[in-house]
Amino acid sequence: MIDIPSPESTADAFADRYGRRPDGVWSAPGRVNLIGEHTDYNDGLVFPFAIERRTWAAVGRREDRLLTVHSGAMPEPAQASLDSLNPEDFDGWSAYVFGVLWAMEQRGVDLAGRTGFDVMLASDVPLGAGLSSSAAIECAVASAVNDEWELGLSRRDLITICQLAENGAVGAPTGNMDQTASLMGKAGHGVLIDVRAETAEPVPLHFADEHLELLVIDTRVHHEHATGGYGARRRSCELGAQLMGVGSLRDLDEADLPRAAEVLDDETFRRVRHVITENARVARTAQVVAADGPRAIGDLLVASHASMRDDFEISVPELDLAVETALANGAIGARMTGGGFGGAAIALLDADRAEEVGGAIQAAFAAAELTAPIVFVVSPSDGAHRDL
Ligand code: GLA
């Protein structure tokens, strides 16, 4: 994608490619999850925040029914037609864009009589790092189309549409945390999501007031949720709920664990125990951050990581090393973030220690002969909006 993207540079790139100015530029952020992993598709609690790294979509209406997408990184544009949107025809990254239009149609948006778009994308959300680069594309495009076609869809509608694009067009059986964080994020705030209640409440995090920073350690171990372990974990959770006689794991709490231990095989029990205890940790984190401030949430982050490593088994050695090294060098708390099997870890620490901790992590990876991670600071930022 283009060098240092911004709304203006994305609009200029659009003009270079298409020979006219775009109608506007919209953007949506990636996210990190502070706590609450693999709880979203179990109707549970999640506490992510939107980050300052975003995807920009410069968009201009066409006069015919075509959709054209360029991104600086791709030599060839991708094209589709509003007359025949079919996920089987979508290829690679363009599925995130065309998938949104397909999902809108599935959700009852009438495409008859509408005209298509030219789109230019630019992003500084790292790809495949577990920071929701895909949701950032979906939410930027959905926001643009909602405005351009004057659909009047609510943010809640857009969450549903973008999740459907991810599930039905990209083929990743995810929950809706990423899209909710990207659409509902607010600077300085976490987004406390209750998936069952369909609420997403901004909660002040006070990181800057407390001179804290949140470090992201991208291990560069890549993962895909459309294949592999993510779907297997989801199926274990569904099996656990079924065997426990409930509609979803949200219907269980810590008091149900002894019965779960009797009813379930050891592996399914540990998957279920992760989800039950993780929901409790999310609720507790939101309480503690409000009552005692962000310095008091470290143990909850650490317990979340241990549960993902030991019970849910979605960590990898690189994530464990990042977390252990951050903690050994004075981080208040650290955990892997996102779906697992690679991607990024986060560490909450005093701002003046960020450089030292980052250096210690680089040194630990070098000593273990692992690929050098990419380490950077993120802060809670605003969700999707129109920039120009
Ligand atoms: C990925 C998915 C989310 C969520 C997390 C795990 O990021 O996209 O829906 O399930 O994994 O918490």
Side-chain angles (χ1 to χ4, degrees), residues 143-165:
S143 302
V145 174
N146 191 30
D147 287 357
E148 286 278 59
W149 280 351
E150 298 179 358
L151 296 174
L153 297 168
S154 68
R155 297 223 163 206
R156 178 62 48 197
D157 295 332
L158 296 180
I159 291 168
T160 308
I161 285 164
C162 292
Q163 185 194 5
L164 181 58

Side-chain angles (χ1 to χ4, degrees), residues 31 33 36-41 174-178 225 230 338-339:
R31 62 101 190 92
N33 191 11
E37 226 65 83
H38 289 259
T39 47
D40 61 354
Y41 57 78
T174 61
N176 69 9
M177 158 171 65
D178 306 343
H225 295 327
Y230 186 96

Side-chain angles (χ1 to χ4, degrees), residues 270-309:
R270 287 184 294 112
R271 306 297 188 246
V272 167
R273 179 166 63 186
H274 165 73
V275 174
I276 290 177
T277 57
E278 187 78 347
N279 276 327
R281 281 186 290 270
V282 174
R284 185 89 194 112
T285 302
Q287 285 162 4
V288 168
V289 88
D292 306 315
R295 284 180 181 275
I297 67 171
D299 291 350
L300 289 157
L301 302 185
V302 173
S304 171
H305 185 77
S307 180
M308 289 188 285
R309 183 190 59 211

Side-chain angles (χ1 to χ4, degrees), residues 193-207:
I193 305 170
D194 182 330
V195 175
R196 184 165 63 183
E198 295 193 357
T199 56
E201 183 196 330
V203 175
L205 290 174
H206 299 297
F207 289 167

